[in-house]
Amino acid sequence: MSAAAHAELAAEIAECRRCPRLVEWRERVAREKRAAFMDWEYWGRPIPGFGDLGARLLVLGLAPAAHGANRTGRVFTGDRSGDFLYAALHRAGYANQAEAVALDDGLELRDCFVTATVRCAPPANKPLPSEKAACAGWLERELALLERVRVVLCLGAYAWTAALTTPAVLGASAPRPRPAFGHGAEFDAGARILLGCFHPSQQNTFTGKLTAAMMDDVLARARELA
């Protein structure tokens, strides 16, 4: 992917207004804010992908958090899920630093690109089927530019399903029967390999469903496969 092509696509994503419910919600959150972030000027727009344009590893999440990426303007930045994810990417050598707090914090990714299946923060973190469908084209267009991606690390069951049903992700038609999601699950589509990982949500990390060691192991496996 060229930097110019990515910048053009990122700008187009950031201006998207296809889904009235999501537009209203993301902009209302950006106006009303959370008390802890009253001095922030929220991004309040759709979130493009971020990372190394020559990456072999694609990390795929669900959607931006209302007071995370919807505030900061960068995927998985500014919330507890991002704290857990980028710390793990740093330990694995994919990130130059463990913290991701703002667009200008100096974070750089190496051999890794992070994106999401839905680009706007959805109410209750639950996008509608029509909203998921409206966003699918953005992922296809990003993948068309990320020519070296070999492994797609799916954070959660929804990302796994989206990857399996987006031809540009697999480089092939959706498999039947559909492979089941699980932490550490793998599906080799030939052109690319899907790798499952529990989502680094607060619920999963606080309860121990996903531990730092589990995340480290799955990233080590991703590097082996890539």
Side-chain angles (χ1 to χ4, degrees):
M1 178 196 289
S2 73
H6 175 251
E8 183 177 343
L9 178 57
E12 192 175 343
I13 291 171
E15 295 302 319
C16 182
R17 301 182 67 84
R18 293 175 185 170
C19 304
R21 188 182 79 113
L22 296 187
V23 171
E24 190 280 330
W25 171 252
R26 79 192 190 208
E27 293 181 353
R28 175 149 55 95
V29 169
R31 289 192 307 271
E32 296 177 354
K33 305 183 181 181
R34 180 174 282 173
F37 304 124
M38 277 301 191
D39 59 340
W40 276 79
E41 181 178 346
Y42 275 51
W43 174 261
R45 292 184 282 164
I47 311 298
F50 162 75
D52 183 348
L53 305 183
R56 291 175 297 172
L57 172 64
L58 179 80
V59 178
L60 183 62
L62 169 59
H67 301 280
N70 188 58
R71 170 174 60 90
T72 65
R74 190 173 64 203
V75 63
F76 277 108
T77 296
D79 62 8
R80 292 292 181 86
S81 295
D83 293 345
F84 191 93
L85 174 64
Y86 284 115
L89 290 174
H90 177 62
R91 291 193 301 272
Y94 285 112
N96 68 325
Q97 61 190 45
E99 295 184 343
V101 296
L103 280 174
D104 59 355
D105 62 10
L107 177 66
E108 296 178 2
L109 298 183
R110 309 182 188 101
D111 203 20
C112 177
F113 192 89
V114 183
T115 193
T117 57
V118 174
R119 305 311 174 100
C120 292
N125 204 33
K126 294 180 179 178
L128 301 175
S130 60
E131 294 161 350
K132 297 173 186 176
C135 255
W138 298 129
L139 181 59
E140 290 186 6
R141 290 177 62 184
E142 278 182 342
L143 262 295
L145 296 174
L146 292 163
E147 298 176 351
R148 295 189 66 211
V149 168
R150 172 63 176 157
V151 176
V152 181
L153 179 61
C154 303
L155 302 180
Y158 176 67
W160 176 264
T161 299
L164 286 169
T165 54
T166 303
V169 175
L170 290 179
S173 301
R176 294 181 181 275
R178 186 176 299 167
F181 171 76
H183 186 81
E186 296 181 21
F187 174 70
D188 190 340
R192 296 195 176 106
I193 300 172
L194 302 190
L195 182 58
C197 178
F198 291 144
H199 193 282
S201 64
Q202 271 190 264
Q203 181 178 1
N204 285 344
T205 58
F206 282 15
T207 60
K209 182 176 181 178
L210 178 64
T211 65
M214 291 168 66
M215 192 81 200
D216 291 347
D217 287 346
V218 82
L219 285 172
R221 179 58 177 160
R223 190 176 290 282
E224 289 176 4
L225 294 170

